């Protein structure tokens, strides 16, 4: 038996990870709702290895396994859609290696797993900006999406970086804006919008960048521009920036 402390499962030795993984997968299957799968598929989520477990339930399960790196690795290896999201919720960022990140990003096949893994885990590892920029420059669709999802999350969370840091990301956004794959376009727009919501100066810079994207001969660039401008010029965003 794996010991518990205060209701929280202690990780135990790596040899027990497979046993813990089987127990967690059984727990997920017990609360799964297969009727959720068609709705997931309609919004572009890969469901061939999915169970139909909602995110709030995964967060509840994660509370008893925080920091269990070996369990996270085992859950990821299972290939089960929700298990992979759960792995990102419980893994210890301090134990995540560059090799693990490369293996996980190469195995992404669904936008929701991509966004959960980047937001829950990869943005909390060492040198996340360097990783984000490297992935955003790659061509594989979910690797590129992961890079821009990380930029979006970092723009939202990191309040210490200077405006210059974020202005340096705009050329990266422009280079990827002509990538017309849906998973990439949405992440590029997300990153541009999050940068433009940091403060009034970056709002102006992001709007100017979006206006330049509108002039490009690319359906993807024009979609990104319109999507970003809709939010960046909204009364809600401008009111919040005036108040800040």
């Amino acid at each position: 038996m794996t010991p518990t402390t205060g209701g929280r499962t202690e990780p135990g030795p790596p040899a027990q990870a497979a046993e813990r993984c089987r127990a967690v997968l059984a727990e997920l299957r017990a609360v799964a709702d297969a009727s959720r799968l068609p709705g997931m598929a309609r919004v572009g989520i890969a469901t061939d290895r999915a169970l139909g477990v909602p995110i709030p339930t995964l967060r509840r399960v994660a509370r008893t396994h925080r920091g269990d790196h070996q369990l996270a690795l085992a859950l990821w290896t299972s290939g089960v859609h929700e298990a992979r999201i759960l792995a990102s919720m419980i893994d210890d960022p301090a134990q995540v290696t560059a090799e693990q990140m490369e293996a996980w990003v190469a195995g992404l096949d669904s936008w929701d797993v991509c966004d959960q893994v980047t937001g829950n885990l990869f943005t909390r590892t060492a040198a996340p900006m360097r990783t984000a920029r490297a992935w955003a420059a790659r061509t594989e669709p979910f690797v590129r999406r992961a890079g821009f999802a990380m930029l979006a999350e970092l723009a939202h969370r990191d309040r210490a970086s200077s405006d210059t840091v974020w202005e340096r990301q705009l050329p990266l956004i422009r280079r990827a804006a002509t990538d017309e794959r849906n998973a990439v376009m949405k992440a590029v727009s997300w990153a541009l919008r999050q940068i433009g919501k940091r403060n009034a100066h970056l709002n102006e810079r992001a709007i100017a960048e979006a206006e330049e994207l509108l002039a490009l001969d690319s359906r993807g660039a024009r979609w990104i521009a319109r999507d970003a401008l809709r939010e960046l010029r909204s009364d809600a965003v401008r009111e919040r920036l005036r108040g800040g």
Side-chain angles (χ1 to χ4, degrees):
M1 294 289 290
T2 302
T4 60
T5 302
R8 181 180 179 276
T9 302
E10 290 297 303
Q16 295 179 0
E19 178 184 346
R20 298 197 300 279
C21 181
R22 285 192 292 271
V24 171
L25 289 174
E27 183 177 1
L28 295 181
R29 291 186 175 103
V31 297
D33 179 4
S35 71
R36 295 176 51 84
L37 298 179
M40 293 166 63
R42 281 194 294 273
V43 295
I45 295 173
T47 59
D48 55 317
R49 298 294 303 276
L51 302 174
V53 182
I55 293 296
T57 301
L58 293 177
R59 292 196 183 105
R60 177 182 58 76
V61 174
R63 283 199 293 269
T64 59
H65 301 287
R66 299 284 188 200
D68 193 336
H69 177 63
Q70 295 299 328
L71 175 58
L73 295 178
L75 288 169
W76 185 267
T77 301
S78 76
V80 175
H81 186 89
E82 290 87 350
R84 288 189 157 187
I85 293 175
L86 181 61
S88 75
M89 294 176 174
I90 70 171
D91 206 351
D92 176 8
Q95 297 186 63
V96 174
T97 64
E99 291 76 15
Q100 176 187 336
M101 293 174 70
E102 283 294 332
W104 284 27
V105 79
L108 292 172
D109 65 353
S110 193
W111 65 263
D112 64 324
V113 178
C114 178
D115 296 356
Q116 288 289 330
V117 170
T118 54
N120 295 334
L121 185 61
F122 289 169
T123 52
R124 303 180 190 280
T125 58
M129 180 68 80
R130 183 173 61 200
T131 300
R133 286 181 57 83
W135 286 352
R138 299 245 301 259
T139 58
E140 308 98 304
F142 285 107
V143 175
R144 177 167 272 186
R145 182 184 177 98
F148 283 105
M150 288 181 71
L151 287 177
E153 288 286 354
L154 291 168
H156 175 65
R157 295 178 187 171
D158 176 12
R159 309 318 302 175
S161 295
S162 69
D163 289 354
T164 302
V165 168
W166 297 105
E167 289 173 324
R168 288 174 181 159
Q169 312 316 314
L170 297 178
L172 191 62
I173 286 172
R174 185 178 303 190
R175 287 194 294 273
T178 55
D179 187 333
E180 298 186 355
R181 292 172 292 187
N182 195 52
V184 176
M185 290 193 304
K186 291 188 175 181
V188 173
S189 170
W190 183 17
L192 182 57
R193 287 181 285 117
Q194 289 302 113
I195 291 171
K197 291 191 292 183
R198 285 179 64 84
N199 57 47
H201 170 69
L202 287 173
N203 182 263
E204 291 179 1
R205 293 286 287 109
I207 286 174
E209 184 65 31
E211 289 173 338
E212 293 195 19
L213 294 182
L214 276 175
L216 296 180
D217 184 20
S218 166
R219 180 186 66 88
R222 291 192 296 271
W223 184 91
I224 290 165
R226 288 192 293 268
D227 190 54
L229 289 170
R230 188 179 304 113
E231 183 170 14
L232 295 175
R233 286 174 168 164
S234 68
D235 292 340
V237 167
R238 292 192 164 180
E239 183 64 29
R240 182 177 66 78
L241 294 179
R242 282 195 295 269

